[in-house]
PDB file of all heavy atoms in Angstrom:
ATOM      1  N   THR A   9      66.845 -31.207  37.549  1.00 94.00           N
ATOM      2  CA  THR A   9      67.594 -31.533  36.329  1.00 94.00           C
ATOM      3  C   THR A   9      66.634 -31.838  35.186  1.00 94.00           C
ATOM      4  O   THR A   9      66.796 -31.331  34.073  1.00 94.00           O
ATOM      5  CB  THR A   9      68.526 -32.742  36.571  1.00 94.00           C
ATOM      6  OG1 THR A   9      69.426 -32.414  37.638  1.00 94.00           O
ATOM      7  CG2 THR A   9      69.316 -33.096  35.333  1.00 94.00           C
ATOM      8  N   THR A  10      65.619 -32.637  35.450  1.00 95.00           N
ATOM      9  CA  THR A  10      64.622 -32.973  34.427  1.00 95.00           C
ATOM     10  C   THR A  10      63.850 -31.724  34.012  1.00 95.00           C
ATOM     11  O   THR A  10      63.609 -31.505  32.821  1.00 95.00           O
ATOM     12  CB  THR A  10      63.655 -34.051  34.954  1.00 95.00           C
ATOM     13  OG1 THR A  10      64.421 -35.201  35.341  1.00 95.00           O
ATOM     14  CG2 THR A  10      62.638 -34.439  33.907  1.00 95.00           C
ATOM     15  N   ALA A  11      63.466 -30.901  34.968  1.00 94.00           N
ATOM     16  CA  ALA A  11      62.729 -29.668  34.664  1.00 94.00           C
ATOM     17  C   ALA A  11      63.557 -28.752  33.773  1.00 94.00           C
ATOM     18  O   ALA A  11      63.038 -28.172  32.812  1.00 94.00           O
ATOM     19  CB  ALA A  11      62.347 -28.952  35.963  1.00 94.00           C
ATOM     20  N   THR A  12      64.837 -28.640  34.067  1.00 95.00           N
ATOM     21  CA  THR A  12      65.726 -27.800  33.255  1.00 95.00           C
ATOM     22  C   THR A  12      65.842 -28.353  31.839  1.00 95.00           C
ATOM     23  O   THR A  12      65.772 -27.604  30.860  1.00 95.00           O
ATOM     24  CB  THR A  12      67.119 -27.697  33.910  1.00 95.00           C
ATOM     25  OG1 THR A  12      66.967 -27.194  35.241  1.00 95.00           O
ATOM     26  CG2 THR A  12      68.040 -26.785  33.126  1.00 95.00           C
ATOM     27  N   LYS A  13      65.987 -29.663  31.717  1.00 96.00           N
ATOM     28  CA  LYS A  13      66.058 -30.282  30.396  1.00 96.00           C
ATOM     29  C   LYS A  13      64.768 -30.031  29.618  1.00 96.00           C
ATOM     30  O   LYS A  13      64.793 -29.725  28.426  1.00 96.00           O
ATOM     31  CB  LYS A  13      66.303 -31.788  30.516  1.00 96.00           C
ATOM     32  CG  LYS A  13      67.712 -32.152  30.915  1.00 96.00           C
ATOM     33  CD  LYS A  13      67.862 -33.666  31.030  1.00 96.00           C
ATOM     34  CE  LYS A  13      69.228 -34.051  31.547  1.00 96.00           C
ATOM     35  NZ  LYS A  13      69.373 -35.509  31.715  1.00 96.00           N
ATOM     36  N   MET A  14      63.623 -30.158  30.278  1.00 95.00           N
ATOM     37  CA  MET A  14      62.331 -29.923  29.640  1.00 95.00           C
ATOM     38  C   MET A  14      62.226 -28.476  29.147  1.00 95.00           C
ATOM     39  O   MET A  14      61.689 -28.212  28.068  1.00 95.00           O
ATOM     40  CB  MET A  14      61.191 -30.238  30.615  1.00 95.00           C
ATOM     41  CG  MET A  14      61.064 -31.718  30.933  1.00 95.00           C
ATOM     42  SD  MET A  14      59.917 -32.069  32.287  1.00 95.00           S
ATOM     43  CE  MET A  14      58.368 -31.542  31.577  1.00 95.00           C
ATOM     44  N   TYR A  15      62.746 -27.564  29.935  1.00 94.00           N
ATOM     45  CA  TYR A  15      62.737 -26.145  29.587  1.00 94.00           C
ATOM     46  C   TYR A  15      63.516 -25.919  28.285  1.00 94.00           C
ATOM     47  O   TYR A  15      63.015 -25.288  27.355  1.00 94.00           O
ATOM     48  CB  TYR A  15      63.338 -25.360  30.752  1.00 94.00           C
ATOM     49  CG  TYR A  15      63.540 -23.891  30.504  1.00 94.00           C
ATOM     50  CD1 TYR A  15      62.474 -23.008  30.515  1.00 94.00           C
ATOM     51  CD2 TYR A  15      64.820 -23.378  30.291  1.00 94.00           C
ATOM     52  CE1 TYR A  15      62.656 -21.647  30.311  1.00 94.00           C
ATOM     53  CE2 TYR A  15      65.016 -22.028  30.083  1.00 94.00           C
ATOM     54  CZ  TYR A  15      63.932 -21.161  30.098  1.00 94.00           C
ATOM     55  OH  TYR A  15      64.123 -19.817  29.889  1.00 94.00           O
ATOM     56  N   TYR A  16      64.715 -26.452  28.215  1.00 96.00           N
ATOM     57  CA  TYR A  16      65.534 -26.271  27.022  1.00 96.00           C
ATOM     58  C   TYR A  16      64.956 -27.007  25.805  1.00 96.00           C
ATOM     59  O   TYR A  16      65.041 -26.522  24.676  1.00 96.00           O
ATOM     60  CB  TYR A  16      66.982 -26.692  27.282  1.00 96.00           C
ATOM     61  CG  TYR A  16      67.700 -25.728  28.185  1.00 96.00           C
ATOM     62  CD1 TYR A  16      68.203 -26.122  29.413  1.00 96.00           C
ATOM     63  CD2 TYR A  16      67.855 -24.390  27.822  1.00 96.00           C
ATOM     64  CE1 TYR A  16      68.855 -25.228  30.246  1.00 96.00           C
ATOM     65  CE2 TYR A  16      68.505 -23.493  28.652  1.00 96.00           C
ATOM     66  CZ  TYR A  16      69.000 -23.908  29.860  1.00 96.00           C
ATOM     67  OH  TYR A  16      69.630 -23.019  30.677  1.00 96.00           O
ATOM     68  N   ILE A  17      64.375 -28.160  26.015  1.00 96.00           N
ATOM     69  CA  ILE A  17      63.738 -28.891  24.916  1.00 96.00           C
ATOM     70  C   ILE A  17      62.577 -28.080  24.356  1.00 96.00           C
ATOM     71  O   ILE A  17      62.411 -27.967  23.137  1.00 96.00           O
ATOM     72  CB  ILE A  17      63.273 -30.294  25.383  1.00 96.00           C
ATOM     73  CG1 ILE A  17      64.488 -31.191  25.624  1.00 96.00           C
ATOM     74  CG2 ILE A  17      62.319 -30.920  24.371  1.00 96.00           C
ATOM     75  CD1 ILE A  17      64.169 -32.500  26.314  1.00 96.00           C
ATOM     76  N   TYR A  18      61.778 -27.488  25.226  1.00 95.00           N
ATOM     77  CA  TYR A  18      60.657 -26.658  24.778  1.00 95.00           C
ATOM     78  C   TYR A  18      61.158 -25.497  23.912  1.00 95.00           C
ATOM     79  O   TYR A  18      60.626 -25.241  22.839  1.00 95.00           O
ATOM     80  CB  TYR A  18      59.869 -26.117  25.977  1.00 95.00           C
ATOM     81  CG  TYR A  18      58.676 -25.292  25.552  1.00 95.00           C
ATOM     82  CD1 TYR A  18      57.432 -25.879  25.430  1.00 95.00           C
ATOM     83  CD2 TYR A  18      58.806 -23.938  25.249  1.00 95.00           C
ATOM     84  CE1 TYR A  18      56.322 -25.139  25.020  1.00 95.00           C
ATOM     85  CE2 TYR A  18      57.714 -23.189  24.831  1.00 95.00           C
ATOM     86  CZ  TYR A  18      56.474 -23.792  24.721  1.00 95.00           C
ATOM     87  OH  TYR A  18      55.402 -23.057  24.305  1.00 95.00           O
ATOM     88  N   ILE A  19      62.181 -24.801  24.397  1.00 95.00           N
ATOM     89  CA  ILE A  19      62.737 -23.674  23.640  1.00 95.00           C
ATOM     90  C   ILE A  19      63.252 -24.146  22.285  1.00 95.00           C
ATOM     91  O   ILE A  19      63.003 -23.517  21.258  1.00 95.00           O
ATOM     92  CB  ILE A  19      63.855 -22.967  24.432  1.00 95.00           C
ATOM     93  CG1 ILE A  19      63.271 -22.287  25.672  1.00 95.00           C
ATOM     94  CG2 ILE A  19      64.596 -21.952  23.563  1.00 95.00           C
ATOM     95  CD1 ILE A  19      64.310 -21.749  26.639  1.00 95.00           C
ATOM     96  N   ASN A  20      63.944 -25.280  22.258  1.00 96.00           N
ATOM     97  CA  ASN A  20      64.479 -25.820  21.012  1.00 96.00           C
ATOM     98  C   ASN A  20      63.365 -26.199  20.032  1.00 96.00           C
ATOM     99  O   ASN A  20      63.459 -25.926  18.840  1.00 96.00           O
ATOM    100  CB  ASN A  20      65.365 -27.034  21.308  1.00 96.00           C
ATOM    101  CG  ASN A  20      66.113 -27.511  20.078  1.00 96.00           C
ATOM    102  OD1 ASN A  20      66.630 -26.712  19.310  1.00 96.00           O
ATOM    103  ND2 ASN A  20      66.152 -28.815  19.904  1.00 96.00           N
ATOM    104  N   GLN A  21      62.297 -26.800  20.525  1.00 96.00           N
ATOM    105  CA  GLN A  21      61.205 -27.245  19.660  1.00 96.00           C
ATOM    106  C   GLN A  21      60.330 -26.099  19.155  1.00 96.00           C
ATOM    107  O   GLN A  21      59.855 -26.121  18.035  1.00 96.00           O
ATOM    108  CB  GLN A  21      60.336 -28.267  20.392  1.00 96.00           C
ATOM    109  CG  GLN A  21      61.017 -29.597  20.599  1.00 96.00           C
ATOM    110  CD  GLN A  21      60.146 -30.570  21.391  1.00 96.00           C
ATOM    111  OE1 GLN A  21      59.177 -30.184  22.033  1.00 96.00           O
ATOM    112  NE2 GLN A  21      60.522 -31.842  21.345  1.00 96.00           N
TER     113      GLN A  21
END
Side-chain angles (χ1 to χ4, degrees):
T9 301
T10 303
T12 304
K13 286 179 185 178
M14 291 170 65
Y15 174 76
Y16 289 118
I17 289 170
Y18 182 94
I19 293 171
N20 189 42
Q21 289 177 344

